[in-house]
Amino acid sequence: MDWELKQALRDQLGREQGYFSYPSGTRSRMALVYPNSYFVGMSNLGLHIIYALMNQRDDTACERVFLPERRERIRYEKTRTPIMSMEHQLPLYEFPLIAFVLSFEMDYFHVLRMLELGRVCLRSRERGERDPLVIAGGPCATFNPEPLAEVVDAFIIGEGEVIMPAFMDVYYEARRKGLARRELLQRLAQVPGVYVPSFYAHRYDEQGRLIAIEPEPGIPSRVSRQWVRDLDAYPAHTVVLTDHTEFNFYLIETARGCGRHCRFCMAGYCFRKPRNRSLGRITQQVREALPYGKRIGLMGAAISDYPEINALCRDILGEGLSMSVASFRADSVTADLVQSLADSGLKTLTMAPEAGSPKMRAVINKGIEEKHLFHAMEMGLAAGIRHFRLYLMVGLPFEQEEDIDAIIDLAGRLKDYMEEKGSKGTLTLSVNPFIPKPFTPFQWKPMADRRYVEKAFRKLSQAFHKRKHILVNTESVKEAYIQGVIARGDRRVGEAILKAHELGGAKAFKRALRECGLQAEDYLYRDREKDEVFPWACLDMGVRSDYLYDELLRAQQQQATIPCFDGCHRCGVC
């Protein structure tokens, strides 16, 4: 054991407030693992929620584990020290239960790296009775768990607050009875929202297409996503405070889910229905944050859609705190919200039209028009905000080259407007390749050809190369296409992830696909049939498949779908 690595964890813990620590032997230990750095992981509100939920039980000591930074990883490997938990610096393999938080596809490679560094067997079927049970939750686990089906013993499908209490009760009961690993998993598979992939066989035809998913006898044929009906019953805010995070805020969740029906957005379909916390409960959490003096970071799919946003802004600033928001919509943002952000020191106002042309915004059902963008910019300028950012995508279904030209035209006119109003600030375009996601209307559509996306990126960069104060930032195309394969991948893609790990990680993924007899193009560029069996077909998000396909047809016709409303029963969730 390397004592300097241990001391580094102790030092980091000493800079925190609010962590839980229980004496050894008083509770059963559980590792909550974020497969990325401490800096990134401690900005994940889901990690804070589950950490508190588990530690507030009387039988569980939940400790956090993060991926060591590159320099530290080298030291762990050289000294043969297993990665350790924050709270008591225990090796990962000593925890009987290991729970991963999966938020991003690229972190799948880190999952394998962390298990290896923690001396935990990578493949679930090779773990014995004394080995840890490995589970995973979070957005990626909910939408498509199959790429990690050979690694993870059980997945949490939905929102952990309503699944984990029942999961842990069954887990502890099985342990008290001394049940074998397989019997334990059989019991867990009966818990609503728990998916145990080893009990489901995937059948393929001669062309390698998935044709059936068959559960073992006694195993549910489908696993239904579980979700919180009353958010006020489950507080969601920062639990452990540290200055060493990507977003150095005190995070408070205002709402969950979104009813706007943007057709590309996985969260919009899988976190339905939209739910708001009461203003009283949020302001109570704001008051609880007062002793820490941190900026309040409001979390939600679209903060400006919160029905009492103006009153909430007044409450936060009235307490002498500053604030920031995860996102807002240009068509619902208010002058009070913008002014509150400006008063809190916000320098850059971010808007997400996603597309430049009215046609493409109709295709994706964004619901934002140019007038909304200019009005939001006007409010920002009036509040003293000088810089603006646009989130955009290229390669959307039904997109053509003139739609790229429309991005250039829109950005140019927005910059002109800034200058007309006397602002010499910067307009930044953050442009990402579109990636089709499960449980969305675009799950049937291919990604755009990589050469098309690269050409579009070059065109955008060249268009503003000589214009001052317009920046074009683009996501790594290579990483986007790895995500594209994984997002809709099946268990065979999981084998390629394991092979890539052997070959050195994500950079070897394309080679790993070939060595596993797979072609990336089959996952990226193929239109799916209407009745195709998807790898996630045994999961039920509550949204009917025929509704999603109708939305795809409406996208093709550029037809609008109105947001969720009380009494609506269109998609099936309600």
Side-chain angles (χ1 to χ4, degrees):
M1 188 75 70
D2 188 292
W3 295 105
E4 288 187 18
L5 290 171
K6 226 173 184 183
Q7 189 58 48
L9 290 170
R10 290 196 192 101
D11 291 343
Q12 184 67 62
L13 197 69
R15 293 189 287 271
E16 293 183 344
Q17 299 178 69
Y19 64 86
F20 292 85
S21 180
Y22 300 104
S24 179
T26 60
R27 294 169 172 236
S28 179
R29 298 206 177 271
M30 166 186 173
L32 184 61
V33 187
Y34 195 87
N36 210 306
S37 68
Y38 177 94
F39 182 74
V40 174
M42 286 303 293
S43 293
N44 183 278
L45 184 56
L47 180 133
H48 289 261
I49 292 170
I50 299 302
Y51 180 72
L53 184 71
M54 293 295 95
N55 279 304
Q56 286 163 0
R57 295 176 63 95
D58 60 8
D59 50 15
T60 306
C62 182
E63 303 193 15
R64 294 160 295 146
V65 182
F66 300 95
L67 180 70
E69 299 285 0
R70 176 174 167 75
R71 185 177 297 178
E72 289 179 326
R73 286 205 300 271
I74 294 171
R75 188 173 180 89
Y76 273 101
E77 291 166 350
K78 279 186 176 180
T79 61
R80 298 184 179 180
T81 300
I83 57 172
M84 298 172 285
S85 64
M86 290 287 302
E87 283 74 5
H88 285 91
Q89 302 85 52
L90 297 176
L92 186 61
Y93 67 83
E94 288 191 5
F95 288 87
L97 181 61
I98 297 172
F100 281 94
V101 179
L102 298 179
S103 299
F104 305 103
E105 289 90 355
M106 294 304 293
D107 283 344
Y108 289 15
F109 300 96
H110 297 154
V111 169
L112 300 180
R113 188 72 181 276
M114 293 186 76
L115 288 173
E116 185 174 72
L117 286 170
R119 299 182 188 171
V120 178
C121 188
L122 297 187
R123 292 181 182 271
S124 59
R125 65 173 178 264
E126 295 175 1
R127 295 185 198 120
E129 297 298 332
R130 295 180 176 275
D131 287 317
L133 188 75
V134 178
I135 68 173
C140 285
T142 292
F143 306 141
N144 180 18
E146 294 309 319
L148 287 179
E150 293 295 322
V151 176
V152 174
D153 294 303
F155 290 92
I156 305 303
I157 308 301
E159 297 174 2
E161 296 98 324
V162 291
I163 304 173
M164 287 304 295
F167 178 100
M168 297 302 290
D169 290 346
V170 171
Y171 169 76
Y172 284 129
E173 181 185 5
R175 283 185 55 187
R176 282 194 298 271
K177 292 181 176 180
L179 297 185
R181 190 181 190 89
R182 180 174 172 81
E183 293 176 279
L184 165 62
L185 289 170
Q186 286 173 333
R187 297 285 183 95
L188 291 172
Q190 306 302 322
V191 176
V194 177
Y195 171 58
V196 181
S198 60
F199 294 142
Y200 297 80
H202 285 213
R203 308 296 182 200
Y204 297 86
D205 63 16
E206 294 178 356
Q207 285 73 44
R209 301 283 168 84
L210 183 64
I211 56 173
I213 300 175
E214 301 169 354
E216 290 187 8
I219 299 299
S221 60
R222 302 194 80 193
V223 177
S224 295
R225 172 184 67 100
Q226 304 298 300
W227 49 283
V228 175
R229 265 62 174 178
D230 177 14
L231 288 185
D232 277 356
Y234 297 93
H237 55 79
T238 293
V239 174
V240 180
L241 288 104
T242 173
D243 292 335
H244 187 56
T245 66
E246 189 173 13
F247 310 114
N248 189 16
F249 305 144
Y250 188 99
L251 303 175
I252 297 175
E253 186 183 59
T254 62
R256 194 172 293 183
C258 180
R260 290 290 195 146
H261 299 236
C262 296
R263 294 176 177 129
F264 63 88
C265 181
M266 190 164 60
Y269 287 90
C270 291
F271 290 131
R272 287 189 189 170
K273 74 175 195 178
R275 295 145 285 160
N276 294 309
R277 296 183 190 277
S278 67
L279 179 62
R281 184 53 59 92
I282 297 173
T283 53
Q284 176 187 339
Q285 294 181 22
V286 169
R287 287 192 292 273
E288 291 170 359
L290 277 171
Y292 306 109
K294 283 185 175 287
R295 179 179 294 186
I296 300 296
L298 298 180
M299 305 296 291
I303 300 301
S304 53
D305 281 353
Y306 183 69
E308 298 178 274
I309 186 60
N310 290 341
L312 178 56
C313 290
R314 289 193 294 271
D315 287 344
I316 293 172
L317 270 65
E319 295 286 0
L321 297 171
S322 60
M323 59 177 284
S324 183
V325 299
S327 63
F328 70 79
R329 286 183 58 97
D331 60 343
S332 62
V333 66
T334 66
D336 282 0
L337 174 56
V338 173
Q339 188 62 58
S340 296
L341 294 171
D343 291 344
S344 298
L346 183 76
K347 304 299 183 186
T348 301
L349 196 67
T350 299
M351 302 179 286
E354 313 294 358
S357 67
K359 179 197 102 178
M360 289 312 303
R361 290 196 293 275
V363 165
I364 64 177
N365 201 49
K366 186 64 184 179
I368 288 178
E369 301 175 21
E370 286 189 9
K371 64 181 181 182
H372 300 130
L373 300 172
F374 281 95
H375 182 55
M377 180 174 276
E378 182 180 20
M379 287 190 287
L381 292 167
I385 297 172
R386 298 180 62 245
H387 309 290
F388 296 85
R389 181 186 303 272
L390 301 179
Y391 281 132
L392 298 153
M393 290 184 287
V394 299
L396 286 158
F398 315 115
E399 180 181 285
Q400 298 173 308
E401 288 200 23
E402 54 260 38
D403 297 307
I404 305 301
D405 294 331
I407 293 175
I408 297 170
D409 175 65
L410 175 63
R413 287 187 288 114
L414 285 167
K415 188 68 178 80
D416 290 343
Y417 186 76
M418 290 170 63
E419 292 172 354
E420 288 171 13
K421 296 293 184 178
S423 172
K424 295 182 180 179
T426 299
L427 177 65
T428 302
L429 312 185
S430 292
V431 193
N432 298 320
F434 164 71
I435 300 171
K437 298 283 187 169
F439 296 109
T440 69
F442 294 153
Q443 66 182 348
W444 285 275
K445 300 303 291 180
M447 279 188 79
D449 185 272
R450 179 170 174 169
R451 288 169 294 185
Y452 168 87
V453 171
E454 290 171 339
K455 180 182 177 183
F457 281 179
R458 287 195 299 271
K459 188 172 191 177
L460 291 170
S461 297
Q462 292 168 2
F464 299 113
H465 179 66
K466 294 183 179 179
R467 181 152 188 186
K468 291 183 178 180
H469 307 304
I470 295 186
L471 300 178
V472 179
N473 295 331
T474 57
E475 185 186 351
S476 163
V477 176
K478 181 179 180 181
E479 283 197 6
Y481 280 79
I482 292 174
Q483 291 177 54
V485 174
I486 294 175
R488 292 184 296 179
D490 53 21
R491 294 185 179 183
R492 298 170 303 177
V493 168
E495 289 294 336
I497 293 173
L498 284 157
K499 174 61 72 173
H501 173 72
E502 295 174 10
L503 298 173
K507 62 181 181 292
F509 184 60
K510 190 171 183 179
R511 176 186 165 190
L513 284 168
R514 290 195 303 270
E515 293 194 12
C516 290
L518 304 174
Q519 296 293 325
E521 290 76 14
D522 291 340
Y523 293 92
L524 295 172
Y525 302 139
R526 181 173 65 81
D527 269 296
R528 274 65 171 172
E529 299 294 330
K530 178 182 179 181
D531 58 353
E532 179 150 343
V533 178
F534 289 113
W536 49 89
C538 64
L539 306 182
D540 181 8
M541 296 298 120
V543 180
R544 299 193 316 273
S545 181
D546 62 339
Y547 171 83
L548 292 175
Y549 197 80
D550 286 345
E551 280 296 295
L552 174 60
L553 300 179
R554 292 178 69 82
Q556 191 169 7
Q557 299 299 319
Q558 301 170 37
Q559 294 178 343
T561 296
I562 63 172
C564 295
F565 57 90
D566 289 339
C568 169
H569 296 281
R570 289 171 294 171
C571 73
V573 168
C574 295

